[in-house]
């Protein structure tokens, strides 16, 4: 299914970024604002305690389920914010590598942040997203 999302790149900004700098959706697109996706199982248990990559995978799985419920998929995502409870850059990178692999060529504009604490016990990662679809 074709995506409504168009990525914008700039030849004057650093080519080092592993994502587009901006994205747009057509005026007839329906925007979907997802709550932060957390590494929580259906029974409320935090998965992958102490493991940034495992928690990121669970967040992405939960995000895909939320997208599907809204009639969208990962290629409809127009931007993300990845929150990682750590002050260590290596931990942020561990989460980011999982996100990059999941999105592949659909390199959405993203923000990666180290934060002090997240909402659930043992939670290390949370991913917010906005998607755009044309019905």
């Amino acid at each position: 299914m074709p995506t409504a999302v168009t990525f914008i790149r700039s030849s004057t900004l650093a080519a080092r970024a592993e994502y587009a700098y901006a994205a747009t959706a057509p005026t007839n697109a329906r925007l979907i604002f997802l709550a932060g996706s957390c590494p929580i199982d259906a029974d409320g248990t935090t998965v992958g305690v102490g493991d940034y990559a495992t928690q990121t995978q669970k967040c992405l799985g939960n995000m895909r389920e939320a997208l599907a419920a809204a009639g969208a998929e990962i290629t409809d995502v127009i931007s993300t914010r990845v929150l990682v409870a750590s002050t260590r850059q290596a931990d942020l990178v561990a989460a980011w590598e999982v996100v990059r692999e999941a999105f592949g060529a659909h390199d959405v504009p993203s923000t990666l942040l180290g934060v002090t604490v997240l909402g659930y016990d043992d939670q290390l990662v949370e991913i917010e997203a906005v998607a755009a679809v044309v019905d």
Side-chain angles (χ1 to χ4, degrees):
M1 167 193 328
T3 180
V5 178
T6 301
F7 293 132
I8 299 167
R9 303 181 193 291
S10 173
S11 61
T12 61
L13 296 172
R16 179 177 168 186
E18 298 177 347
Y19 48 83
Y21 279 101
T24 63
T27 57
N28 61 333
R30 175 171 54 93
L31 295 179
I32 304 163
F33 298 87
L34 281 74
S37 178
C38 300
I40 306 298
D41 270 340
D43 67 1
T45 302
T46 302
V47 302
V49 173
D51 186 331
Y52 290 92
T54 298
Q55 286 202 4
T56 304
Q57 290 169 346
K58 182 61 177 171
C59 290
L60 289 162
N62 288 344
M63 183 181 75
R64 283 187 181 99
E65 288 187 35
L67 285 166
E73 53 194 51
I74 200 165
T75 55
D76 297 314
V77 172
I78 195 167
S79 69
T80 68
R81 182 176 297 125
V82 181
L83 309 171
V84 181
S86 180
T87 59
R88 294 183 57 235
Q89 188 177 34
D91 298 333
L92 277 70
V93 170
W96 180 249
E97 288 174 346
V98 176
V99 171
R100 285 292 301 137
E101 183 177 330
F103 277 91
H106 188 72
D107 58 346
V108 302
S110 298
T111 300
L112 176 64
L113 297 168
V115 299
T116 304
V117 66
L118 293 166
Y120 291 99
D121 290 340
D122 301 312
Q123 182 183 359
L124 300 173
V125 180
E126 187 164 333
I127 303 172
E128 298 177 13
V130 177
V133 295
V134 176
D135 294 319

